[in-house]
Amino acid sequence: MTLFEAIKRRKTTNGAFLPDAVTLEHQHILVRAASRAPSHFNSQPWKFILIDDKDMIARIAAIGGRTMTQLIGEGTFFKRYRKYFRFSQDEMDERRDGIYIHQMPAPLRPFIKKVFTDTGISLMNTLGVPKMLGEDNRKLIADSPLLLVALLDNSEYIPGELSGFYCLLSLGMTIENIWLTTTELGMGIQFVSTPMEVPEAWREIGELLHVPESHTMMAIYRLGYVKPEESSAMKINWKSNERKRLEQFVFRNTCANPEAGADLSEGVL
Ligand SMILES: Cc1cc2nc3c(=O)[nH]c(=O)nc-3n(C[C@H](O)[C@H](O)[C@H](O)COP(=O)(O)O)c2cc1C
């Protein structure tokens, strides 16, 4: 696969992975790819935990499910993320960012127009939708053969200081390397984010994993090999293939001049 193909084919996996264990060789390729990322003064301020122990995955999955139920049930999810949802194809075509609401899971669709209101949220609760989505999320994580946790070294990761910013940049680059590598290896990857939205849940996972005081747990991903036809019928579809047009995010010489003209790279990337 060429680099351009890998960049173009990289995507978020919403569905279940194949049950096959991720080979040790592939696990090591993923973290070696991560370690190839640039970092300030080659500080490599990251650490990764590879989790393939079924019991540990099940415990984290339970927390993932519980926090999903909580965030949907309390309405926090919709309040926090409302601005990223698009309600029509026209809006999507114009903005080319965010998530089209029709990609929400089937149990949520009847409430699409109301999910952002208190009435909609209490109706969903009455019908047990948050529990259903939480269980869906728990199962997705529990059935993932591999979890990967990214940590940053607190002596470098100092929020508000330049080194803190550099750490975040570098960590992002490690994750992109991992993400691109999954594409090459026939694997998929998804952010497990609901626990980090509930501080007690995030602490609980940190304790389970014995994350030392010297490090901060930054992110958790689930990984595995992907089915040829990935189904997302019941899953919250967090991914979107839409990307802004060049003139929406690139400027020539100054911010006053949006990049104009044909997108020459169309077709390659
Ligand atoms: C910082 C960050 C947070 C994200 N959070 C989530 C998440 O909580 N759940 C999820 O499934 N995907 C998450 N994603 C993936 C994005 O939703 C996804 O990259 C975007 O919709 C584009 O889709 P694609 O990755 O398939 O190209 C996150 C990505 C980033 C970079």
Side-chain angles (χ1 to χ4, degrees):
M1 192 182 301
T2 67
L3 178 64
F4 284 164
E5 278 168 352
I7 291 174
K8 205 167 171 179
R9 284 172 53 179
R10 181 217 58 76
K11 63 180 165 93
T12 296
T13 301
N14 298 297
F17 297 124
L18 295 169
D20 313 48
V22 178
T23 66
L24 192 59
E25 188 197 357
H26 284 178
Q27 293 185 33
H28 286 179
I29 288 174
L30 290 166
V31 285
R32 281 184 190 282
S35 78
R36 284 279 143 209
S39 57
H40 52 297
F41 296 97
N42 196 24
S43 53
Q44 304 173 55
W46 50 70
K47 283 198 193 316
F48 297 99
I49 311 172
L50 293 163
I51 305 173
D52 58 2
D53 178 74
K54 290 254 170 268
D55 182 51
M56 184 61 86
I57 292 176
R59 287 175 183 216
I60 294 172
I63 298 171
R66 197 180 77 210
T67 46
M68 171 68 90
T69 299
Q70 180 182 339
L71 293 164
I72 300 274
E74 289 172 351
T76 320
F77 174 86
F78 297 107
K79 280 183 198 123
R80 211 168 263 172
Y81 299 121
R82 181 191 177 121
K83 68 174 182 176
Y84 300 109
F85 291 101
R86 307 286 166 254
F87 293 88
S88 71
Q89 189 62 53
D90 284 349
E91 195 184 358
M92 199 75 217
D93 290 344
E94 192 201 320
R95 296 190 49 131
R96 295 178 65 109
D97 66 3
I99 307 283
Y100 192 17
I101 195 98
H102 280 87
Q103 292 180 351
M104 295 301 275
L108 273 179
R109 279 183 215 143
F111 310 101
I112 277 172
K113 293 239 161 64
K114 296 194 193 114
V115 286
F116 298 105
T117 66
D118 288 344
T119 327
I121 287 162
S122 65
L123 186 61
M124 274 195 310
N125 275 306
T126 311
L127 296 174
V129 173
K131 269 209 149 85
M132 212 185 305
L133 294 175
E135 174 54 17
D136 200 30
N137 195 40
R138 184 202 65 74
K139 197 166 165 17
L140 269 184
I141 303 168
D143 292 345
S144 301
L146 183 69
L147 301 184
L148 180 140
V149 180
L151 313 177
L152 278 177
D153 183 330
N154 291 334
S155 68
E156 290 294 327
Y157 176 55
I158 305 168
E161 289 196 8
L162 261 183
S163 74
F165 172 65
Y166 294 156
C167 280
L168 289 180
L169 273 184
S170 297
L171 187 68
M173 293 186 244
T174 67
I175 301 295
E176 178 69 347
N177 278 4
I178 290 173
W179 214 312
L180 288 172
T181 304
T182 61
T183 310
E184 171 72 24
L185 297 178
M187 295 177 64
I189 180 167
Q190 187 181 31
F191 215 116
V192 176
S193 61
T194 54
M196 75 189 299
E197 306 216 18
V198 179
E200 313 83 76
W202 199 238
R203 270 195 296 280
E204 196 180 333
I205 295 181
E207 281 161 23
L208 275 178
L209 299 177
H210 302 297
V211 173
E213 295 267 305
S214 56
H215 284 70
T216 299
M217 189 167 69
M218 302 301 294
I220 303 180
Y221 296 86
R222 61 178 197 97
L223 299 97
Y225 296 107
V226 281
K227 294 175 181 166
E229 291 284 314
E230 186 200 322
S231 156
S232 63
M234 276 290 290
K235 320 289 177 265
I236 293 189
N237 195 343
W238 305 94
K239 67 179 177 184
S240 173
N241 205 30
E242 303 288 341
R243 291 298 186 272
K244 293 180 179 178
R245 289 179 288 276
L246 284 194
E247 75 263 23
Q248 291 176 297
F249 73 102
V250 180
F251 299 86
R252 180 73 56 185
N253 298 320
T254 76
C255 288
N257 296 314
E259 181 73 350
D263 182 347
L264 296 179
S265 65
E266 196 79 51
V268 181
L269 271 181

